[in-house]
Amino acid sequence: MSADTSRAQGASKTTGANPPHIPMTEEEIAKAAEGQSNLRVLKKVAPYLWPDDLPWVKKRVVWAMIFLLVSKLVSVVIPVLYKGAVDGLADEGVPFLALGAIGLTVAYGVARAMNVGFQQLRDAVFARVGQRALRMLALETFEHIHNLSMRYHITRKTGGLSRIIERGVKGVDFLLRFMLLSIGPLILELLMVGIIFLVLFDFWYLLIVAVTIAFYVWFTFAVTEWRVKLRRQMNDQDTDANQKAIDSLLNYETVKYFSAEQREASRYDGAMAGYEEAAIKTNYSLAFLNFGQSLLITCGLVGVMVMAAIGVQNGTLTVGDFVMVNAYMVQITIPLNFLGTVYREIRQALVDMGQMFTLLEQPAEITDKPDAPDLKVTGGRVTLEDVRFGYDPDREILKGVSIEAAPGEMVAIVGSTGSGKSTIGRLLFRFYDVQGGALKIDGQDVRDVTQDSLHRAIGVVPQDTVLFNDTIGYNIGYGRDNATQAEIEEAAKSAQIHSFIQRLPKGYDTAVGERGLKLSGGEKQRVGIARTLLKNPPILLLDEATSALDSETEREIQDALRQAGKGRTVLTIAHRLSTVAEADRIVVLEQGEIVEQGSHDDLLARNGRYAQLWQRQQSEETN
């Protein structure tokens, strides 16, 4: 059974009308890419090189091809000039273009300079086209990955995904540079040289050259096919080692907690040992390929040169003809020496590009409906109507949850671990779509409006605030594009972190490190709160927003959040019940169902599940 078939069958079991799309793993993307035809991959690149809406790109491509053709025409004339100069010095043959040996030597030098000049002109003209194609592809891939669902991002491997993107873009770069600017010119030059041999000499010269090239290409492709398999194994080992390294570095603290540095080093070394073996086999195969290519080319060169030498001895050819034949053979064998490498790299580039295009074909699970309008927030009423949802097909998390938060109301959602509290927040922000029922804001189903307008209307302070590896000022300012320094500082004051930042040597220019590791948990959380306050949204979602703070700081932040929540709808997801005691309404979830709801005092008076949780936490804090 194929991966796609099993996914489809698994998805069909999902509760609700809209079964989730199960994203492909990096390994499945690689397998799917290998099944793509090379022609299909090339067709995907073509629009970036010949865009209908950009005439300047087409003009540059045309001029690059013109310069390419001229450079090759000049290159096949060079040996003829060389022959004329030699014959002139030896007083043999007919003077070429009525120029003497000195004139032909100068013309030879000018032709060589022109050949290089037109090649460089070709590269210079085409450079902007190639770089634009790379930039567009990289940007499209980057944007597409951001548009993929939360489900995809929590199942992916960061290292493997970055490798797919990196190799895909490099593959396009290689294909543009070598296939268009090396393989194409080589084929054109071989055809020109073949015609010259046929016209100026005889059929046997052309036959020897053609047979030599045919055997050379056959041998190169056959060995390279074998080497591609070895190279793929080497790449797999490289990806595995890279994944282990990134995973270990991202979990730096965990490694330290368990004194696992040596364990991680051994794990990484094991992956690198596999890469070492694969790389050695690749190097051995390269040596075999290079020797075989050299042997075949030498045989062809010697065969043609022997025929030319016999012709000189018989008086049918001049010394200049002998030199010209040698010059042509050297001229075509130099680029042929790189054919194996270029062919292998093109094959690998096509595979890498296939993986990138397969990634681009991964559908976004959450998409806007055609012509979806923007969300219009009139009051901020949030309504869950019999919401059903499950991350996996066979496990339903929310089982018919109905909650309503009126404009300006603070509603807290509490419950034990795994009850579905945070899932409601993810559904509200539309990281996932409900599979039953509806989730509405001011009467508008969140599935019917644009995601961008929905995201602008909701401010989220997550349980674990993740920061960019930049300054504190940048991270707070991320809450609103083009925010002023005064606005950033005001948000920091509201989050009770401004005075802390001022005490730092670089103030708001202090770097926070990878994922904010240079800050404490409480400091990171306050930065997260500050940037959400800067966003100033009509709806606030607080997902364990003060879980990383000490009791004193928590009270200060609660005051700030209470002030920030005035006039807004606030949904608070909390495990620590003391943080939500002042909420207008508290909803208690257990195993995806609402078991109680009401104010703090009402729920305590009922002596139900909420009262049990409250008494347990109070007892734990007392002890």
Side-chain angles (χ1 to χ4, degrees):
M1 180 184 296
S2 70
D4 290 340
T5 303
S6 62
R7 288 174 182 279
Q9 291 180 356
S12 66
K13 299 176 184 178
T14 307
T15 302
N18 299 310
H21 169 76
I22 308 299
M24 295 173 69
T25 63
E26 282 75 15
E27 292 78 10
E28 289 170 338
I29 287 176
K31 291 179 181 177
E34 289 179 12
Q36 293 189 57
S37 69
N38 293 337
L39 183 60
R40 180 169 176 262
V41 174
L42 291 175
K43 284 182 178 179
K44 288 180 176 293
V45 179
Y48 295 94
L49 299 178
W50 197 259
D52 294 331
D53 57 337
L54 294 174
W56 69 267
V57 174
K58 294 182 179 180
K59 288 180 181 178
R60 281 181 173 267
V61 172
V62 170
W63 276 109
M65 294 302 103
I66 291 174
F67 290 139
L68 166 63
L69 180 61
V70 173
S71 70
K72 289 307 165 188
L73 288 172
V74 172
S75 71
V76 297
V77 172
I78 290 174
V80 177
L81 296 172
Y82 194 20
K83 160 192 158 52
V86 171
D87 284 342
L89 292 171
D91 292 327
E92 293 183 331
V94 180
F96 184 70
L97 298 176
L99 296 174
I102 302 299
L104 287 170
T105 302
V106 173
Y108 169 79
V110 172
R112 286 183 64 90
M114 287 176 61
N115 180 37
V116 174
F118 280 115
Q119 288 182 25
Q120 297 307 311
L121 269 175
R122 173 203 65 189
D123 294 346
V125 169
F126 192 78
R128 184 171 292 278
V129 177
Q131 290 303 317
R132 177 196 168 275
L134 292 182
R135 181 168 63 89
M136 292 296 100
L137 270 169
L139 177 62
E140 183 179 345
T141 306
F142 182 80
E143 290 178 337
H144 180 72
I145 291 173
H146 270 293
N147 288 331
L148 290 175
S149 65
M150 172 72 79
R151 192 187 308 275
Y152 179 84
H153 283 275
I154 62 176
T155 57
R156 69 176 169 83
K157 296 177 181 177
T158 304
L161 182 61
S162 66
R163 275 296 204 240
I164 288 176
I165 300 171
E166 179 185 353
R167 285 177 180 164
V169 173
K170 284 184 177 179
V172 175
D173 179 45
F174 186 88
L175 195 72
L176 295 179
R177 285 189 294 111
F178 284 89
M179 194 167 185
L180 290 179
L181 305 181
S182 294
I183 296 298
L186 173 60
I187 294 173
L188 180 61
E189 188 170 10
L190 289 176
L191 290 174
M192 290 180 175
V193 170
I195 293 172
I196 289 174
F197 275 5
L198 182 62
V199 172
L200 298 183
F201 299 99
D202 60 42
F203 172 76
W204 292 105
Y205 285 84
L206 174 61
L207 181 63
I208 291 178
V209 171
V211 169
T212 300
I213 291 175
F215 272 106
Y216 183 94
V217 171
W218 168 79
F219 173 79
T220 298
F221 285 7
V223 175
T224 302
E225 282 295 327
W226 168 49
R227 296 194 70 240
V228 164
K229 296 177 182 177
L230 295 177
R231 184 64 178 266
R232 187 175 298 123
Q233 293 174 6
M234 187 176 73
N235 280 345
D236 290 343
Q237 293 293 338
D238 177 43
T239 298
D240 183 51
N242 183 68
Q243 174 61 41
K244 285 182 170 58
I246 290 180
D247 194 37
S248 180
L249 293 174
L250 288 177
N251 289 279
Y252 169 83
E253 291 185 60
T254 304
V255 173
K256 291 296 182 182
Y257 292 154
F258 294 94
S259 302
E261 293 92 342
Q262 191 57 48
R263 194 190 320 169
E264 288 297 311
S266 299
R267 188 164 167 256
Y268 179 68
D269 185 57
M272 287 301 296
Y275 174 79
E276 179 185 15
E277 289 300 317
I280 289 173
K281 290 180 181 178
T282 302
N283 288 334
Y284 288 164
S285 65
L286 178 60
F288 174 71
L289 174 65
N290 289 338
F291 176 75
Q293 287 177 326
S294 178
L295 182 62
L296 288 170
I297 285 293
T298 301
C299 289
L301 176 63
V302 169
V304 171
M305 296 304 295
V306 166
M307 289 179 61
I310 294 173
V312 173
Q313 287 182 341
N314 294 339
T316 57
L317 296 178
T318 66
V319 175
D321 291 323
F322 180 84
V323 171
M324 183 173 68
V325 169
N326 180 72
Y328 275 126
M329 290 300 293
V330 171
Q331 191 166 297
I332 64 176
T333 54
I334 290 176
L336 276 175
N337 285 332
F338 297 100
L339 184 61
T341 300
V342 172
Y343 173 72
R344 185 197 71 234
E345 294 295 341
I346 285 177
R347 279 290 314 276
Q348 186 60 49
L350 288 169
V351 171
D352 293 339
M353 289 161 58
Q355 292 184 14
M356 184 175 69
F357 286 126
T358 301
L359 176 62
L360 285 172
E361 290 170 354
Q362 284 285 288
E365 180 182 343
I366 308 301
T367 57
D368 292 341
K369 289 183 177 180
D371 301 320
D374 285 347
L375 175 68
K376 294 180 175 59
V377 181
T378 56
R381 183 181 298 274
V382 177
T383 309
L384 281 74
E385 298 176 353
D386 194 28
V387 168
R388 294 181 176 275
F389 176 79
Y391 296 105
D392 297 320
D394 299 321
R395 184 184 171 212
E396 195 174 33
I397 302 296
L398 299 179
K399 306 168 184 177
V401 173
S402 296
I403 302 173
E404 183 169 18
E409 187 178 26
M410 178 179 177
V411 175
I413 303 171
V414 302
S416 55
T417 302
S419 60
K421 304 186 300 296
S422 294
T423 297
I424 292 176
R426 291 171 180 169
L427 291 175
L428 176 64
F429 208 73
R430 213 184 164 207
F431 281 140
Y432 304 89
D433 274 341
V434 299
Q435 294 155 10
L439 200 160
K440 299 179 180 180
I441 295 178
D442 286 332
Q444 304 157 85
D445 195 311
V446 296
R447 293 169 292 187
D448 296 334
V449 298
T450 60
Q451 295 178 70
D452 186 59
S453 63
L454 175 67
H455 296 165
R456 288 198 306 267
I458 303 172
V460 181
V461 181
Q463 179 178 1
D464 180 23
T465 296
V466 179
L467 304 181
F468 291 95
N469 190 4
D470 209 300
T471 65
I472 292 179
Y474 174 83
N475 277 281
I476 295 177
Y478 201 79
R480 188 196 307 162
D481 197 19
N482 299 320
T484 65
Q485 183 63 29
E487 290 171 334
I488 290 173
E489 292 182 10
E490 187 61 33
K493 290 175 183 176
S494 298
Q496 307 294 325
I497 195 174
H498 176 70
S499 57
F500 162 76
I501 297 173
Q502 283 190 315
R503 291 195 298 270
L504 296 172
K506 294 185 178 180
Y508 282 86
D509 292 327
T510 302
V512 301
E514 188 79 29
R515 297 175 66 86
L517 287 177
K518 291 184 179 180
L519 301 181
S520 69
E523 290 159 359
K524 281 201 305 180
Q525 202 75 335
R526 282 181 284 176
V527 170
I529 292 170
R531 70 181 175 193
T532 302
L533 294 176
L534 180 63
K535 183 179 180 180
N536 195 26
I539 299 171
L540 277 179
L541 174 62
L542 311 176
D543 188 356
E544 304 277 8
T546 59
S547 61
L549 308 179
D550 57 73
S551 298
E552 182 179 351
T553 306
E554 180 187 60
R555 284 192 293 271
E556 295 173 351
I557 296 297
Q558 285 295 331
D559 291 338
L561 290 175
R562 195 175 299 112
Q563 290 296 321
K566 287 185 177 180
R568 297 183 175 88
T569 304
V570 181
L571 288 178
T572 300
I573 297 165
H575 175 73
R576 196 185 303 173
L577 301 184
S578 59
T579 63
V580 297
E582 297 182 10
D584 297 303
R585 190 165 71 262
I586 300 172
V587 178
V588 184
L589 282 182
E590 283 297 326
Q591 297 182 354
E593 296 180 306
I594 297 176
V595 293
E596 289 179 320
Q597 59 179 313
S599 68
H600 172 73
D601 293 334
D602 291 340
L603 292 175
L604 286 181
R606 293 183 193 178
N607 200 26
R609 178 59 178 159
Y610 180 82
Q612 293 175 0
L613 293 172
W614 176 265
Q615 290 167 6
R616 182 186 304 167
Q617 289 190 11
Q618 292 297 309
S619 175
E620 289 173 355
E621 291 178 7
T622 303
N623 295 332

